[in-house]
Amino acid sequence: QVQLVESGGGLVQAGGSLRLSCAASTRTFSTYVMGWFRQAPGKEREFVAASGISGKTDYADPVKGRFTISRDNAKNTAILQMNSLEAGETAVYYCAAGYVNDWYRKGYRYWGQGTQVTVSS
C-alpha cells in the first residue's frame, strides 16, 4: 500500500504561483507514473499533468506553458509548480501513482487526499 500526501495548496490571487508537493511512502517511487488531477466543485476530476519513469512529462492543454511537473526519486516526491494561475483553476488538486499506460484517465492505483487551491480574481 502506497500513501500519498499532498501539501502546498492555499489561497492565491489570479496571476500568482503555487508549488504543490506529493510525498509518497514507498521505496519503489521511481517505478511509478505520477499524475496530478484536479476537481472543481460540481465538475469531474480532470487530468492536469503526469511524469513517467523515463522522465517524459505531459500536460493538459489548458496548463501547458504555465505548470511544470517534476519528481525527485531520491526523496520520493512529486512536485507541481503552477504559475500564472487563473480564477477558474480553483479546485482540489490530487496526486496519483500507478503503473498506468494511459496517463490521462483515473486508472491510477493510489491517490492522495487532495489539497485545496483557491485562486481569487
Side-chain angles (χ1 to χ4, degrees), residues 6 15 18 25-27 33 36 38 45 50-51 57 71 73 76 83 92 98-99 101-102 118:
E6 301 98 334
L18 280 176
S25 65
T26 175
R27 295 181 180 179
V33 174
W36 285 95
R38 65 188 179 188
R45 192 172 299 189
S51 171
T57 59
R71 61 193 299 161
N73 290 333
N76 298 337
N83 299 327
V92 178
Y99 299 121
N101 292 319
D102 186 344
T118 302

Side-chain angles (χ1 to χ4, degrees), residues 41-113:
K43 295 187 176 181
E44 293 284 323
R45 192 172 299 189
E46 64 178 7
F47 170 78
V48 175
S51 171
I53 61 175
S54 63
K56 180 181 176 182
T57 59
D58 204 1
Y59 300 88
D61 285 343
V63 309
K64 285 182 178 177
R66 299 185 296 118
F67 289 15
T68 302
I69 187 172
S70 60
R71 61 193 299 161
D72 185 336
N73 290 333
K75 295 182 178 180
N76 298 337
T77 299
I79 302 294
L80 184 68
Q81 176 67 42
M82 306 186 294
N83 299 327
S84 300
L85 281 159
E86 302 170 356
E89 295 182 306
T90 293
V92 178
Y93 284 70
Y94 298 89
C95 74
Y99 299 121
V100 294
N101 292 319
D102 186 344
W103 292 8
Y104 314 102
R105 298 187 182 275
K106 295 175 283 186
Y108 293 72
R109 182 170 181 181
Y110 303 107
W111 291 82
Q113 82 288 351

